[in-house]
Amino acid sequence: MVVVMSPSATDEQVDAVVARVEDAGGEAFVSRGVSRTIVGLVGDVERFGALDLRGMLGVSDVVRISAPYKLVSRQHHPDMTTVYVGQRRVPIGPDTFTLIAGPCAVENPGQTLEAALMAQAAGASLLRGGAYKPRTSPYAFQGLGEEGLRILADVRSETGLPVVTEVVDADDVDLVASYADMLQVGTRNMANFSLLQAVGSVGKPVMLKRGMSSTIEEWLMAAEYIAQRGNLDIVLCERGIRTFETATRNTLDISAVPVAHTMSHLPVVVDPSHSGGRKDLVVPLSRAAIAVGADGIIVDVHPEPESALVDGAQALVNGDLRALAQAVLQLPPLLGRRPALEA
Ligand code: PEP
Ligand code: MN
């Protein structure tokens, strides 16, 4: 259920609604949009019905939300959300297009810095890189852990690029958050509910990748776990789903971008590297992502993909980046977006 405040409602009137809901044992989440403030209610809907919220000063409407996800739904928050990352406040949202790029895994300081410089030259405004790698095989490189986080922080100091990095274990959330500007939850952990609650409690933006076998609704329910802990700085990431097709690693579900945008106010980015699993597909899939209204893309780059410890087959090298940079600079303005770098 959401309480829609009238555009002229005062802070005191909003506080009074929150107090009445909390006194009745419910939880209230206040979202201040551009045009109006909305209070989302979580708890026993029947009990809220008896509170006469509609009769309170400053209340314009009380709406029951039928979707099982509430705080992340468009019904709850009709204005699209912009998430700001890092000290530079790099935007990810409806007015901009954000390129996030970097190595799949942090391997050493030199490789990470080189990849970051390549990413920056191609127009990236955020650096990606995994220090904790969720690998299908327990014998594969699992990441450098805290040493990798330190390398990312050093490269951030050197380049100014805020850092997005994955956390795979709820016990590591505080540690990863102490280094990172944005926490990534990977496809294999989308339904790890204790991890979702932990990243929801830590006060840093979160990139939530879609589970490779999850529906869009399940993805939004996972986002709701994060939001319900008070963190609405969530960016959804479509990274391909499992289908019968074997030519690509996964099938990029391009329709998930506009579908998620109609169901949720959260920004949606696309990962053309992990979905295709092939570097020759990264630029065409990036163009497709821009065309369907993605708010950004997250792309693997590596100075020497042949020797990459993880995912070399999909990593772009310097020679490939010109086409990516061109797409990212030239296409979004045709759709009314400016590159996040200039924002
Ligand atoms: C990654 O981005 O490094 C990654 C492991 O992605 P995914 O969770 O989408 O496989
Ligand atoms: Mn990878």
Side-chain angles (χ1 to χ4, degrees):
M1 190 175 266
V2 293
V3 177
V4 183
M5 304 302 294
S6 62
S8 58
T10 63
D11 286 348
E12 289 71 31
Q13 290 168 345
V14 175
D15 291 346
V17 170
V18 171
R20 191 173 291 187
V21 170
E22 289 179 348
D23 286 348
E27 279 183 278
F29 296 84
V30 178
S31 324
R32 292 178 202 279
V34 179
S35 49
R36 56 191 175 160
T37 294
I38 279 174
V39 186
L41 312 188
V42 176
D44 181 350
V45 174
E46 300 312 321
R47 184 133 43 108
F48 298 146
L51 297 180
D52 189 26
L53 297 168
R54 208 180 287 272
M56 292 183 75
L57 288 176
V59 171
S60 133
D61 202 2
V62 177
V63 186
R64 250 183 125 123
I65 296 185
S66 44
Y69 46 90
K70 315 244 176 246
L71 301 171
V72 306
S73 76
R74 271 304 277 281
Q75 272 174 300
H76 166 66
H77 195 297
D79 295 323
M80 298 307 274
T81 290
T82 300
V83 173
Y84 295 93
V85 184
Q87 263 190 342
R88 283 188 176 180
R89 292 179 54 76
V90 173
I92 307 178
D95 302 325
T96 47
F97 188 81
T98 310
L99 173 60
I100 308 165
C104 180
V106 173
E107 298 170 15
N108 57 61
Q111 166 257 6
T112 308
L113 179 60
E114 241 186 287
L117 293 172
M118 288 163 58
Q120 199 161 35
S125 46
L126 295 172
L127 172 65
R128 64 147 290 145
Y132 295 84
K133 297 305 302 175
R135 305 307 301 283
T136 305
S137 163
Y139 304 112
F141 176 60
Q142 305 283 314
L144 296 179
E146 188 170 1
E147 191 196 336
L149 298 175
R150 275 194 292 268
I151 293 172
L152 285 167
D154 288 347
V155 172
R156 171 178 52 209
S157 309
E158 202 131 344
T159 60
L161 294 173
V163 163
V164 183
T165 195
E166 180 162 357
V167 55
V168 298
D169 191 317
D171 289 343
D172 293 333
V173 166
D174 287 338
L175 176 73
V176 176
S178 72
Y179 289 93
D181 299 291
M182 179 179 226
L183 303 176
Q184 178 175 323
V185 174
T187 191
R188 292 163 187 79
N189 269 316
M190 188 210 80
N192 179 340
F193 301 119
S194 51
L195 177 64
L196 297 173
Q197 287 172 330
V199 297
S201 306
V202 84
K204 287 270 165 101
V206 177
M207 174 178 299
L208 177 63
K209 289 193 148 193
R210 178 179 177 186
M212 62 182 93
S213 302
S214 299
T215 65
I216 297 171
E217 184 172 282
E218 287 163 344
W219 188 22
L220 295 179
M221 297 290 269
E224 188 78 11
Y225 268 91
I226 300 170
Q228 205 230 342
R229 288 294 166 118
N231 186 355
L232 270 159
D233 286 328
I234 305 165
V235 173
L236 301 168
C237 177
E238 162 58 42
R239 51 79 67 210
I241 52 174
R242 283 215 155 152
T243 67
F244 53 80
E245 183 54 67
T246 55
T248 48
R249 179 174 177 174
N250 291 116
T251 299
L252 179 61
D253 181 7
I254 202 73
S255 45
V257 177
V259 170
H261 273 152
T262 62
M263 295 165 80
S264 173
H265 56 87
L266 299 176
V268 184
V269 302
V270 163
D271 183 337
S273 304
H274 286 83
S275 48
R278 287 170 36 178
K279 77 174 194 156
D280 61 317
L281 300 180
V282 171
V283 171
L285 294 180
S286 299
R287 292 188 188 123
I290 296 167
V292 292
D295 302 295
I297 49 174
I298 176 164
V299 175
D300 282 9
V301 303
H302 197 289
E304 287 172 18
E306 327 71 57
S307 60
L309 296 179
V310 189
D311 285 349
Q314 69 198 30
L316 299 185
V317 282
N318 258 331
D320 311 318
L321 287 173
R322 202 166 311 118
L324 183 77
Q326 238 173 15
V328 163
L329 282 174
Q330 293 175 357
L331 300 181
L334 300 176
L335 295 156
R337 290 174 185 266
R338 53 189 196 285
L341 263 184
E342 297 166 11

